[in-house]
Amino acid sequence: MLSFPVTPSLLNHSHLLHHRPYVSFTVRSSSSSSAVQEVEESSSSSKSPKSTADAGELSSELYASPPFPQIRAAKRVVLVRHGQSTWNADGRIQGSSDFSVLTKKGEAQAETSRQMLFDESFDVCFSSPLIRSKRTAEIIWGNRKEEILTDYDLREIDLYSFQGLLKHEGKAKFGPAYRQWQVNPANFSIDGHYPVRELWARARNCWTKILANESKSVLVVAHNAVNQALVATAIGLGTGFFRILLQSNCGVSVLDFTPSADGGSPHICLNRLNQTPNSPVATGSSGGRKASKRIILVCYGSTQGDSEASVAYSAEQPMNMLGIIQAQKTAELLLDLNVSSIVSSPKNACVQTAEAISRVQEAADCLGADCVPRYVELKKMNDLDVEDILQQSKKDTVGVAPFQPGWLKGFEDEVLSTLWNQSGKVWQSLLTEQSDEAEPEKVVVVVGHPAAHIALMGHCLNLTKEWMGSFHLDAGSVSVIDFPDGPAGRGVIRCINYTAHLGRWSIPITRSTVDDEEF
């Protein structure tokens, strides 16, 4: 048995080992590599059949590794997956092979990403050395003078004998192993290796090198699986979360690293996940699997109270002109979907946003999006109102902004516990609504406060309240949760804090959300 120092995320969330008594963990060195750790999980039969854990049995496994290095100033890291490759288009398993190149579509996706990031002031670019990723990096980096730094550890997951096979060939040739790769990738082994576990160890090494660079704004261009691992290891999630945090072709994810006050490991916040060049709601599949059930989390738009002191409690105020525009833009984005119902907090700004979405949905035939009018059920849910809970805080919350990374860390444990428990009731209610077999395809839109949505995503991922400071949402943002295996299965996060639909009113990806002196 080996013992390891734990990551800052593990230090911050070590209570999980006590809060989840039905899961035990053993950390060993893997037979395939001394750098890879095998996490064995055993579950007792004492779980409540209606617990959040049963909604997919997704373990809150944590990855044990050395702490993240200290940083001197705030750092923002932007991750981009490469554009569509020839092997993506063929349905061929790529892994870390280097025989595919970008398709014309992939080049166009990279160009769209370049335009999206054109005004961003990156200091440095790291890239996988594989052709498809390096070419994407070259397109996005454009005519910047700084040289692109390639890092072999940023290559895609090593899939050994699987590489080069069409997916149906892999299924025919490897049978049980291919099935395990599909349903239990964390424990998938091939040619004496555990690819996902190796990938997690490699991603952790990448962070050490990226954070050692003194640059404050970093672009990283790599691949689907390795970007998943980078996001997961940054916020302290283990291999059980592989394929849960999607990375589409040229999807952009952003992580904020803030120096710790005690000089230790930085605080890490996932600012956004998988902002794609195309609409995140236009496709009905997640990771190649059709998703007929979907929950869409919409943050209300800016309000007249946003210019006042306590903007964390502004949802009771009516929306200002910017908020009205944000709500309309969101309604237009969701026109691609046939929304079954809209669940809203009773607060004014939330109801205004919900009504805007409903009006556009019901005018789908007039707008040419459908051949018949749509009927959308709109209902208010009192448990979505979390502002009253936040106002129970005895700390000075004047000036607290819900649109600043990690802002929820400023509240007392008691306040966060109440918010978390109330949001858990909402989550169970949403899952119950999605379980209606009379509607095989169902899209539910939830309009509420960013704190409520962060908690709902935490329940989806089967985390605990301590993780709420690790996620961030902006006004007017959209986050999408798919259920490719139905509401009884794992929820897959398609995107978090998507704001591209807001156009000129969206927040630039690399714009600092902390004081200029710190960033």
Side-chain angles (χ1 to χ4, degrees):
M1 298 290 291
L2 302 176
S3 60
F4 298 85
V6 294
T7 64
S9 296
L10 185 52
L11 286 169
N12 294 337
H13 310 308
S14 59
H15 60 279
L16 280 178
L17 303 182
H18 304 289
H19 280 247
R20 291 179 52 81
Y22 53 87
V23 177
S24 62
F25 304 95
T26 304
V27 180
R28 297 177 178 171
S29 62
S30 169
S31 59
S32 60
S33 169
S34 60
V36 180
Q37 302 152 34
E38 180 176 351
V39 181
E40 298 178 342
E41 174 182 331
S42 60
S43 302
S44 76
S45 58
S46 61
K47 301 186 295 292
S48 167
K50 295 185 179 180
S51 68
T52 302
D54 280 326
E57 281 301 305
L58 184 57
S59 164
S60 294
E61 172 207 321
L62 297 174
Y63 195 73
S65 60
F68 276 75
Q70 176 186 353
I71 58 174
R72 298 179 180 178
K75 186 187 296 283
R76 176 161 286 183
V77 179
V78 177
L79 307 177
V80 182
R81 181 189 174 188
H82 64 79
Q84 185 195 59
S85 70
T86 49
W87 281 20
N88 284 151
D90 294 342
R92 196 175 293 278
I93 302 171
Q94 297 185 107
S96 57
S97 64
D98 200 17
F99 299 106
S100 66
V101 297
L102 294 187
T103 62
K104 290 183 178 179
K105 179 179 179 179
E107 295 259 355
Q109 290 171 330
E111 174 60 24
T112 300
S113 294
R114 184 190 71 81
Q115 294 175 13
M116 184 167 61
L117 300 171
F118 182 77
D119 293 326
E120 310 305 341
S121 54
F122 293 113
D123 301 316
V124 66
C125 176
F126 290 87
S127 172
S128 158
L130 304 186
I131 295 171
R132 57 193 184 272
S133 176
K134 190 174 181 181
R135 176 57 183 152
T136 301
E138 290 170 349
I139 293 173
I140 296 174
W141 200 238
N143 59 3
R144 291 179 173 90
K145 295 180 181 180
E146 294 81 6
E147 182 180 356
I148 296 173
L149 306 178
T150 57
D151 186 343
Y152 187 60
D153 278 343
L154 287 172
R155 70 189 184 279
E156 183 56 301
I157 185 172
D158 297 317
L159 289 176
Y160 305 99
S161 294
F162 271 14
Q163 294 182 176
L165 299 176
L166 293 169
K167 292 176 181 177
H168 72 270
E169 293 174 339
K171 183 177 181 180
K173 185 174 181 179
F174 290 94
Y178 187 82
R179 172 66 178 168
Q180 188 178 43
W181 165 240
Q182 293 297 308
V183 302
N184 188 14
N187 293 313
F188 160 69
S189 64
I190 186 170
D191 299 336
H193 294 268
Y194 287 88
V196 175
R197 299 174 190 171
E198 292 177 352
L199 179 66
W200 250 242
R202 179 151 51 88
R204 187 57 184 72
N205 291 335
C206 288
W207 279 126
T208 300
K209 289 177 277 189
I210 292 170
L211 295 180
N213 190 289
E214 293 295 329
S215 300
K216 295 181 180 180
S217 183
V218 181
L219 175 65
V220 177
V221 183
H223 306 265
N224 177 11
V226 71
N227 281 9
Q228 289 185 51
L230 286 169
V231 170
T233 53
I235 60 176
L237 302 180
T239 54
F241 289 84
F242 183 64
R243 294 205 189 104
I244 300 300
L245 305 170
L246 289 192
Q247 296 289 305
S248 304
N249 287 122
C250 278
V252 174
S253 300
V254 181
L255 288 143
D256 287 319
F257 295 79
T258 306
S260 173
D262 60 6
S265 297
H267 171 69
I268 304 168
C269 180
L270 179 58
N271 185 283
R272 73 184 67 221
L273 176 79
N274 201 31
Q275 178 150 305
T276 54
N278 303 314
S279 167
V281 301
T283 177
S285 65
S286 282
R289 296 180 294 164
K290 181 175 175 57
S292 57
K293 304 280 189 176
R294 176 174 282 180
I295 294 175
I296 298 178
L297 307 177
V298 176
C299 286
Y300 63 85
S302 298
T303 70
Q304 294 178 12
D306 285 352
S307 60
E308 300 173 2
S310 296
V311 295
Y313 317 124
S314 62
E316 186 57 43
Q317 300 290 326
M319 288 192 294
N320 57 26
M321 182 54 67
L322 175 58
I324 292 171
I325 292 172
Q326 290 169 330
Q328 185 63 29
K329 290 286 186 180
T330 298
E332 293 172 8
L333 174 73
L334 299 181
L335 190 57
D336 288 332
L337 297 175
N338 192 337
V339 174
S340 304
S341 63
I342 303 173
V343 182
S344 172
S345 161
K347 294 297 188 183
N348 284 337
C350 300
V351 173
Q352 277 187 279
T353 301
E355 289 175 344
I357 297 170
S358 177
R359 284 193 299 270
V360 171
Q361 281 287 315
E362 293 181 351
D365 57 332
C366 301
L367 297 173
D370 211 332
C371 57
V372 295
R374 297 173 183 171
Y375 170 74
V376 181
E377 181 184 12
L378 198 162
K379 50 191 175 184
K380 299 176 185 177
M381 183 180 290
N382 289 331
D383 281 342
L384 271 173
D385 180 5
V386 299
E387 287 199 6
D388 291 342
I389 296 174
L390 297 176
Q391 287 176 329
Q392 294 173 10
S393 174
K394 297 178 181 178
K395 294 185 177 180
D396 180 11
T397 56
V398 174
V400 172
F403 308 123
Q404 196 172 73
W407 69 282
L408 281 169
K409 293 198 315 174
F411 290 87
E412 299 94 333
D413 184 77
E414 182 179 354
V415 171
L416 294 180
S417 293
T418 304
L419 187 155
W420 180 259
N421 293 335
Q422 183 166 303
S423 297
K425 296 176 183 178
V426 175
W427 182 247
Q428 288 302 318
S429 177
L430 294 172
L431 292 181
T432 299
E433 183 169 346
Q434 283 285 20
S435 299
D436 185 359
E437 296 182 358
E439 293 187 72
E441 296 188 7
K442 188 165 188 175
V443 176
V444 177
V445 173
V446 183
V447 184
H449 192 281
H453 290 341
I454 287 172
L456 290 175
M457 288 188 292
H459 284 290
C460 173
L461 294 172
N462 198 24
L463 303 177
T464 65
K465 68 180 186 299
E466 285 73 17
W467 251 277
M468 288 195 290
S470 299
F471 298 92
H472 169 76
L473 295 174
D474 288 313
S477 67
V478 172
S479 303
V480 180
I481 302 172
D482 284 341
F483 295 90
D485 298 316
R490 295 180 176 184
V492 175
I493 309 293
R494 170 171 288 281
C495 65
I496 296 174
N497 199 30
Y498 181 89
T499 59
H501 64 293
L502 301 178
R504 63 183 296 180
W505 293 279
S506 63
I507 295 178
I509 286 175
T510 59
R511 194 180 91 181
S512 173
T513 51
V514 296
D515 294 339
D516 290 337
E517 292 181 0
E518 298 180 15
F519 195 86

